[in-house]
């Protein structure tokens, strides 16, 4: 998939949907109005939210494993924890 191509956003959405499904199945996340919120996407940015360091590690592991199967990578230069 060529970055910047006309179809790139659509292909990215198809690929990233698998990551979102796997992350949501963990049921690890922050509850907002009674809804488990563990992943937020905006364009090509991913925000993972967890109530503990252990929960965040679990989400990162699931995310990383799924991205490896999709032959996608995390840009560690843009990675941060708050």
């Amino acid at each position: 998939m060529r970055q910047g191509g006309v179809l790139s956003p659509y292909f990215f959405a198809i690929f990233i949907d698998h990551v979102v499904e796997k992350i949501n199945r963990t049921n690890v996340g922050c509850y907002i109005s009674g809804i488990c919120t563990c992943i937020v996407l905006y364009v090509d940015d991913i925000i993972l939210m967890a109530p503990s360091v252990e929960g965040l590690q679990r989400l990162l592991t699931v995310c990383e494993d799924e991205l490896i199967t999709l032959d996608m990578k995390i840009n560690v230069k843009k990675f941060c924890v708050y």
Side-chain angles (χ1 to χ4, degrees):
M1 167 171 45
R2 184 180 178 278
Q3 186 173 356
V6 175
L7 294 176
S8 293
Y10 299 104
F11 289 138
F12 180 76
I14 291 168
F15 280 108
I16 208 67
D17 190 51
H18 293 284
V19 176
V20 173
E21 288 176 13
K22 293 271 181 150
I23 292 288
N24 282 331
R25 282 191 215 135
T26 64
N27 288 323
V28 174
C30 300
Y31 282 82
I32 301 172
S33 297
I35 299 171
C36 182
T37 306
C38 49
I39 187 168
V40 177
L41 301 168
Y42 182 75
V43 188
D44 64 348
D45 294 324
I46 300 173
I47 298 171
L48 298 175
M49 296 184 291
S52 66
V53 174
E54 293 82 11
L56 182 58
Q57 183 59 57
R58 183 168 175 209
L59 294 178
L60 282 169
T61 301
V62 170
C63 188
E64 179 186 33
D65 291 345
E66 189 62 22
L67 289 174
I68 287 170
T69 63
L70 296 171
D71 196 28
M72 297 174 84
K73 297 178 182 169
I74 296 173
N75 183 351
V76 295
K77 293 179 182 178
K78 291 176 63 177
F79 181 86
C80 62
V81 177
Y82 293 101

